[in-house]
Amino acid sequence: MRPHSSLKQEFLKEWIKGLQRCSFPKKSILERKKAIKLSADIAMASARNGTTCWSRALISSAAKDGSDNNHLVKQILGPESDRPAVENKAPARQASVCKKILKRSCRIRRRGRRKCGAAAAPSSIAKHLVKKRRQILRSLIPGGEFMNEICLIEETLDYITSLRVQVDVMRSLATASVRGTE
Amino acid sequence: MELNAGTAGTGSLKTASERDEVAALESLQFTDEIRRLMSAPATDNASSFTALLELPAPQAVQLIHSPDSAKLIAAPPPAPNVDDFKGSFNFPFNSGLIERATRFSLFAGDGNINDNNKSNSPEPTSYNSSANLQKPVKSEPTETESYQPLVSDPTVENRSTKRKDREKVKGSTKKSKTGAKDSSDDAQKLPYVHVRARRGQATDSHSLAERARREKINARMKLLQELVPGCSKISGTALVLDEIINHVQSLQRQVEFLSMRLAAVNPRIDFNLDSVFTAESGSLMDSNFSGMVMPMMLPEVQLNGNRQQYPQQLHFDAFQQPVWGTEEVCNNYITPENSLLSYDSSGNSASLHSNQLKMEL
């Protein structure tokens, strides 16, 4: 796909930078895999330069102080003046607050719905189904809980394209390294 | 040009004389600015959202494209353009455009709203000029961001509809965005969403806003459908969303799987990065490479479209060597290698070149 080639280049550069920066544990496959995936995710998100919500959410969730990946993340992000991560310290807190409020409101809404009883009208059933799926989509996309529906769909679009780029690059890398070691 | 198409479309609703008089004046000064605005983002950011949207463009795509291009416009501050518009259009166009606006807008049989329109003179509804005329009145914080995408529109719209004195006017004088040609102009220039009340539907401002929002969501869903393979045949939002969810999940799983595979294959990532660079950059070249890498390479490279030209590859080797010597950063290693390997068809020559590289480094 033509438009993705420059994105691929960007992603590749960032990823390789990140990979080289993180001190490779060389111990277990799982740790390595975690490091690879993490650096890939962060590279993908920083390729967006903070223009999309999911990228910021991804970086901020990775850089959260309580997470176990923190040291890796710091290594990967460290030398860079990582703007998306730096910007997101405050929004991350706000985001968590918003998250709590959202959850509370969702709970209340759900309680209200249950009190009304199951609606028999097909349109409301359809709406219910769609809402369920929207919820699932929100849980899939990083930072999806804070978006309204329009944002959600836009972010999904963007996220899908970046995921595709990531998969393509990783796949070519994997096949190439296999070829190289043969 | 979308603007001309828009003016042509709306002109059919008014008298010819008015259209000539106003549109001629408008087109003189508008089209240049707007052409500039619209052409600017097209060159930016080829990799991102807008590039995606250069795919086969249904009407809905334009709807998204213009807000995105408007997003990109907003980043370099459009303040000078806004001021230009303000300065040049405020005075000469006020009366002419408002007249046009009054005849223009669809009223559900309300004659008094004409009066309201005329009294609230700085409240035009003609979508071509409302941005400019509304700015001095509204004095909103989003003034300079009047070119902002549709996403900001609901917020501004809500703000406007909350003002009760204007609610009736807004509700009945909104125009629909059923046509993409209208909508692209709207999205480009206006902070407001203009929705026309269709026949037999409520003209309540809330329902209009709802409808506009729904149309936006549907447009974006269409885009998603095109992106996700196999979704275009499915009808029904729930199933489409299902497919999208499956797609996203499968992509995420693929990433996991591939990273596991990479971890297994490369016990020492640092060591193998060189060979991996060369080989993988070659394969990347095979799949698709457009302008990004090419400009960084020398023009001679572009002359050789053939992959089988080995003697010229050697020529490239000699040419590229001084470049390698000077550059320290690893990501620059990729591009000289790409220039070599882009014309490689066999793996042997690739490994040859990579060995040469390693010796150089």
Side-chain angles (χ1 to χ4, degrees):
Chain A
M1 285 183 266
R2 290 289 152 134
H4 297 303
S5 56
S6 50
L7 192 60
K8 279 189 188 177
Q9 283 278 288
E10 280 241 15
F11 167 63
L12 186 65
K13 283 183 203 171
E14 303 257 351
W15 187 25
I16 289 173
K17 267 193 242 172
L19 277 178
Q20 288 186 328
R21 246 182 245 136
C22 62
S23 67
F24 241 62
K26 298 174 189 173
K27 288 178 186 173
S28 73
I29 256 192
L30 287 176
E31 289 206 15
R32 258 184 276 136
K33 168 226 166 198
K34 227 199 262 180
I36 290 176
K37 179 163 186 286
L38 198 61
S39 53
D41 285 340
I42 292 180
M44 192 172 72
S46 52
R48 284 299 179 193
N49 278 330
T51 48
T52 52
C53 192
W54 66 264
S55 59
R56 291 179 294 207
L58 194 65
I59 292 183
S60 55
S61 68
K64 235 191 302 180
D65 287 333
S67 76
D68 37 329
N69 302 332
N70 203 25
H71 59 288
L72 267 176
V73 175
K74 280 192 174 153
Q75 277 175 348
I76 295 176
L77 293 177
E80 286 179 353
S81 65
D82 205 50
R83 278 162 280 120
V86 168
E87 284 171 6
N88 278 324
K89 294 296 179 180
R93 263 174 250 138
Q94 291 172 6
S96 56
V97 170
C98 295
K99 199 173 173 177
K100 286 179 194 163
I101 296 174
L102 259 177
K103 278 188 180 163
R104 238 177 273 151
S105 62
C106 284
R107 248 179 275 148
I108 293 171
R109 241 182 273 159
R110 259 179 254 152
R111 272 184 227 142
R113 289 256 170 84
R114 277 177 205 156
K115 282 178 188 170
C116 297
S123 61
S124 53
I125 292 177
K127 278 186 194 168
H128 188 60
L129 284 177
V130 168
K131 269 231 156 147
K132 253 194 196 171
R133 278 156 179 86
R134 284 221 170 96
Q135 283 277 325
I136 297 175
L137 196 59
R138 278 210 174 94
S139 64
L140 275 182
I141 295 181
E145 295 113 358
F146 319 122
M147 305 177 208
N148 57 358
E149 294 189 355
I150 301 174
C151 277
L152 185 68
I153 298 181
E154 285 182 352
E155 298 288 327
T156 315
L157 268 170
D158 209 40
Y159 189 57
I160 288 180
T161 50
S162 347
L163 271 181
R164 275 206 190 143
V165 164
Q166 201 180 9
V167 164
D168 284 340
V169 170
M170 290 177 88
R171 190 180 289 144
S172 52
L173 192 61
T175 53
S177 58
V178 164
R179 230 188 289 152
T181 53
E182 278 170 7
Chain B
M1 270 302 294
E2 293 165 53
L3 174 65
N4 295 332
T7 49
T10 57
S12 60
L13 293 174
K14 323 174 305 170
T15 60
S17 60
E18 260 189 319
R19 190 208 324 176
D20 290 342
E21 152 201 335
V22 178
L25 286 166
E26 278 188 271
S27 59
L28 282 179
Q29 299 181 5
F30 258 105
T31 48
D32 290 337
E33 306 272 3
I34 296 180
R35 211 172 279 145
R36 211 194 317 144
L37 282 174
M38 291 185 64
S39 58
T43 54
D44 284 348
N45 242 352
S47 64
S48 71
F49 209 82
T50 51
L52 168 69
L53 303 164
E54 281 155 18
L55 296 174
Q59 283 183 355
V61 175
Q62 284 185 15
L63 218 145
I64 315 295
H65 180 61
S66 44
D68 267 307
S69 53
K71 255 187 219 166
L72 297 172
I73 294 168
N81 291 334
V82 168
D83 294 337
D84 286 344
F85 277 134
K86 257 191 195 177
S88 57
F89 291 125
N90 256 340
F91 296 107
F93 282 101
N94 247 336
S95 53
L97 285 169
I98 290 163
E99 279 184 33
R100 181 169 163 243
T102 55
R103 308 205 189 176
F104 206 78
S105 41
L106 244 193
F107 308 126
D110 290 352
N112 51 350
I113 298 182
N114 272 323
D115 300 330
N116 278 343
N117 256 344
K118 282 174 188 166
S119 61
N120 306 339
S121 62
E123 283 256 310
T125 54
S126 76
Y127 63 87
N128 269 331
S129 59
S130 51
N132 313 315
L133 291 171
Q134 278 166 350
K135 270 171 221 155
V137 180
K138 292 293 179 186
S139 67
E140 282 159 351
T142 58
E143 233 178 280
T144 56
E145 300 169 349
S146 63
Y147 303 102
Q148 276 270 319
L150 293 171
V151 178
S152 66
D153 286 346
T155 54
V156 179
E157 197 185 75
N158 291 335
R159 245 183 287 155
S160 68
T161 53
K162 275 175 192 166
R163 295 177 196 171
K164 290 176 184 171
D165 54 333
R166 293 173 183 162
E167 202 176 292
K168 227 198 320 180
V169 178
K170 284 274 179 299
S172 48
T173 59
K174 283 184 179 173
K175 289 166 197 148
S176 78
K177 286 185 125 190
T178 47
K181 45 183 182 166
D182 300 338
S183 58
S184 54
D185 292 335
D186 284 337
Q188 274 268 307
K189 294 178 285 168
L190 304 180
Y192 293 101
V193 172
H194 286 255
V195 178
R196 177 172 288 138
R198 289 185 208 144
R199 187 190 170 116
Q201 286 182 339
T203 55
D204 188 24
S205 63
H206 291 294
S207 56
L208 280 172
E210 260 296 311
R211 199 175 313 127
R213 187 173 153 269
R214 250 179 279 145
E215 285 178 2
K216 258 188 252 172
I217 290 181
N218 288 335
R220 284 160 173 76
M221 286 289 297
K222 262 195 208 169
L223 267 184
L224 260 182
Q225 267 188 300
E226 281 166 23
L227 185 64
V228 176
C231 247
S232 40
K233 301 174 190 170
I234 303 179
S235 61
T237 323
L239 295 172
V240 165
L241 279 174
D242 252 349
E243 279 296 320
I244 293 169
I245 288 171
N246 284 336
H247 193 64
V248 170
Q249 277 175 339
S250 77
L251 282 175
Q252 284 176 338
R253 259 180 267 136
Q254 276 182 15
V255 167
E256 291 258 351
F257 172 68
L258 279 171
S259 63
M260 177 70 95
R261 192 170 159 200
L262 276 175
V265 162
N266 280 335
R268 298 168 298 172
I269 288 268
D270 312 322
F271 255 73
N272 286 345
L273 274 179
D274 287 338
S275 56
V276 157
F277 283 170
T278 61
E280 145 287 303
S281 55
S283 60
L284 271 184
M285 221 22 175
D286 292 349
S287 51
N288 48 4
F289 258 157
S290 61
M292 171 97 179
V293 183
M294 286 306 189
M296 304 177 70
M297 298 191 292
L298 310 155
E300 298 175 18
V301 172
Q302 292 172 349
L303 293 179
N304 306 318
N306 251 348
R307 294 175 137 218
Q308 304 291 333
Q309 298 179 7
Y310 288 103
Q312 284 177 326
Q313 280 178 349
L314 301 175
H315 173 69
F316 293 148
D317 284 351
F319 209 94
Q320 292 294 329
Q321 278 166 10
V323 182
W324 296 333
T326 53
E327 286 165 343
E328 300 296 324
V329 186
C330 69
N331 44 4
N332 287 326
Y333 290 153
I334 298 179
T335 49
E337 294 154 18
N338 290 339
S339 68
L340 288 177
L341 299 169
S342 59
Y343 306 108
D344 251 357
S345 49
S346 65
N348 287 337
S349 44
S351 57
L352 255 180
H353 291 305
S354 66
N355 288 337
Q356 279 181 351
L357 265 176
K358 283 177 187 168
M359 280 165 30
E360 291 289 328
L361 305 172

